[in-house]
Amino acid sequence: MITIRCDKEVCVNKMEKEKNAYDNGIRQQVFRLPELCEAQLEVCFGPALKELMSMAEIFDARKVILTGCGASYAAALAMAPVIEKYCDCFGVQVMRLIEFTRFLPGTEIGIGEPNSPLVIVLSEQGKEARVCEALGKADRMGAFPILLTGNPDAPAAAYARRVFGTRPAQTPEGVFAVQAYFGSLVGLIAFASRMGHVRGTLPPSGPRQFREAVLSYMDKCTERLEQIDRQIFEVAWKWRDLTQFDLIGDDVEYGSAFFGAVRLQEYAGCAAAVDDSEDWCHINYFIGSPEKTGTIVMADENQPSFGRVLETVQSAVRIGRPVLVVTNAKEDIFEKGAEVCTIPDAPEGFAWMYPMLDFIPLALLAGYLCALKGGGQPVGTEA
């Protein structure tokens, strides 16, 4: 019989019972994603997308700025490359709300073109003062401010030129966190397809292909969801006494790592740092008491820095860190001693879609740690 070592020998059957006892709101949201996916696509790729901006307004956009805080900022980081790839403009910039509202001079926002730059402010609830401030500043500076939100009737909507609602009707009221983050990701993917369709970087069938790829990827991940859930609970059980975490991700994987850090802080009350693999090897590698720092590495095998990511995992394991790797690569290429959670790769031709679902193990971990630490049943609110 397979056993798991903690305070005593616990058999697999008992571990399954323990897992059920620590079911939580975050896990429930994760398992609701497959059934919600079709409705999410209908909302984000539906008529509202075409009405969001006219063709002339889309052609006016010469630069795109994505901004948000917490998980909304993470979603912007994760999906900026797909917007840049298809928007056919002079670049996409991702900023934290505080950077945009307080530190970005008006002279750097644009150079006076009509309806440019396009400023997309992400906020699930749409009621935070900083969100209203960002939209108001963008409007005063002559930019084109759009609020991407799950709450189109929120106070911040009054400050936006247009509002892009992303929450399906089937979503229970008061539920944010996982489902909201997924909605933001799909909303940005849909927006990229619209920009690409109008500006000619995608064929007429492009939006349909995007939708099909999202559904295909969700189906692939759904097949492994139960296995991922069991594995992450076992990790959470072993890590239940840890209070500090390092999350490591390169490029767009930094966005997924950032999302994980937000959820670990918010739901499990843990200290969490976010870094890329290169910086970690020079700085956080030296944090004392390595056995007390849970280390989560986001490892996309298609990234140019994947070799450095492998070195990072190796270094973390050899200094005694508890390590979890979330990856689309084979388990046996990582340093022995790391816990490797494998998720399916994105559909062929859609490598940029990988961050759309690689956050799932992190969400599950945050939910289980919250429950194991006596935090009740987290439902989730936006950070």
Side-chain angles (χ1 to χ4, degrees):
M1 180 175 291
I2 300 174
T3 57
I4 297 170
R5 175 78 63 181
C6 51
D7 297 332
K8 57 183 179 180
E9 294 291 342
V10 182
C11 71
V12 170
N13 289 337
K14 185 174 182 181
M15 182 61 74
E16 189 68 21
K17 290 181 180 179
E18 293 284 0
K19 180 172 76 69
N20 294 335
Y22 290 103
D23 189 18
N24 57 84
I26 296 297
R27 178 186 179 275
Q28 292 163 18
Q29 288 185 51
V30 168
F31 275 80
R32 199 177 290 126
L33 287 180
E35 66 184 62
L36 184 73
C37 188
E38 187 84 49
Q40 187 70 68
L41 290 169
E42 287 298 321
V43 170
C44 293
F45 282 83
L49 179 63
K50 291 186 177 180
E51 298 169 2
L52 186 64
M53 299 177 71
S54 68
M55 293 180 67
E57 289 167 341
I58 289 175
F59 276 111
D60 281 342
R62 295 168 62 81
K63 177 182 177 182
V64 179
I65 297 175
L66 305 175
T67 183
C69 64
S72 294
Y73 174 67
L77 287 169
M79 287 299 149
V82 66
I83 294 178
E84 185 160 25
K85 181 174 182 178
Y86 296 110
C87 74
D88 186 34
C89 65
F90 294 130
V92 175
Q93 185 176 7
V94 181
M95 306 182 71
R96 294 186 304 144
L97 275 175
I98 189 66
E99 294 172 335
F100 179 84
T101 56
R102 299 301 173 89
F103 303 118
L104 182 67
T107 54
E108 295 184 17
I109 290 181
I111 57 174
E113 307 97 338
N115 299 322
S116 186
L118 180 60
V119 178
I120 302 178
V121 181
L122 288 79
S123 172
E124 171 56 28
Q125 299 184 68
K127 62 183 182 181
E128 299 84 358
R130 189 80 69 206
V131 171
C132 299
E133 182 182 353
L135 292 164
K137 176 177 179 177
D139 189 52
R140 289 193 306 273
M141 298 299 178
F144 194 105
I146 290 177
L147 173 65
L148 190 153
T149 180
N151 184 15
D153 299 320
Y159 297 84
R161 185 89 60 91
R162 305 283 161 72
V163 178
F164 188 14
T166 59
R167 186 185 301 174
Q170 295 91 325
T171 306
E173 285 298 318
V175 172
F176 303 113
V178 175
Q179 294 175 1
Y181 184 67
F182 180 69
S184 295
L185 296 173
V186 176
L188 290 173
I189 290 172
F191 185 82
S193 77
R194 174 64 176 162
M195 290 280 286
H197 185 196
V198 171
R199 300 186 74 148
T201 58
L202 278 174
S205 60
R208 175 180 56 81
Q209 292 172 355
F210 276 33
R211 288 185 59 157
E212 291 174 353
V214 170
L215 283 173
S216 172
Y217 195 27
M218 178 61 76
D219 288 344
K220 288 170 65 177
C221 287
T222 301
E223 293 173 0
R224 284 189 49 81
L225 193 52
E226 288 286 354
Q227 182 179 347
I228 291 171
D229 183 48
R230 288 193 296 270
Q231 182 180 14
I232 294 302
F233 177 73
E234 292 174 7
V235 172
W237 184 271
K238 289 183 283 188
W239 287 13
R240 65 191 184 279
D241 294 325
L242 298 181
T243 58
Q244 62 184 34
F245 292 86
D246 248 350
L247 292 97
I248 303 164
D250 291 358
D251 194 38
V252 294
E253 289 298 272
Y254 189 93
S256 298
F258 194 97
F259 171 84
V262 168
R263 296 309 170 208
L264 284 168
Q265 291 168 343
E266 187 174 6
Y267 299 126
C270 300
V274 188
D275 215 338
D276 59 61
S277 62
E278 181 65 23
D279 204 47
W280 184 89
C281 288
H282 292 285
I283 300 176
N284 280 16
Y285 171 91
F286 297 102
I287 291 176
S289 303
E291 73 282 356
K292 297 180 181 179
T293 305
T295 305
I296 304 170
V297 183
M298 310 303 292
D300 179 2
E301 67 173 342
N302 299 311
Q303 288 183 321
S305 65
F306 187 63
R308 187 56 158 166
V309 171
L310 291 175
E311 293 174 355
T312 300
V313 174
Q314 180 186 75
S315 297
V317 170
R318 291 186 179 184
I319 63 174
R321 292 278 193 104
V323 177
L324 169 65
V325 181
V326 178
T327 185
N328 51 2
K330 294 181 179 179
E331 179 178 352
D332 59 7
I333 68 173
F334 294 97
E335 180 77 5
K336 188 176 180 180
E339 183 77 37
V340 180
C341 178
T342 304
I343 67 170
D345 202 0
E348 186 177 356
F350 295 89
W352 49 262
M353 199 175 284
Y354 180 67
M356 190 188 78
L357 293 174
D358 72 341
F359 70 90
I360 283 176
L362 308 185
L364 290 170
L365 181 64
Y368 278 129
L369 285 176
C370 175
L372 286 163
K373 291 175 181 291
Q377 305 289 318
V379 174
T381 55
E382 185 180 14

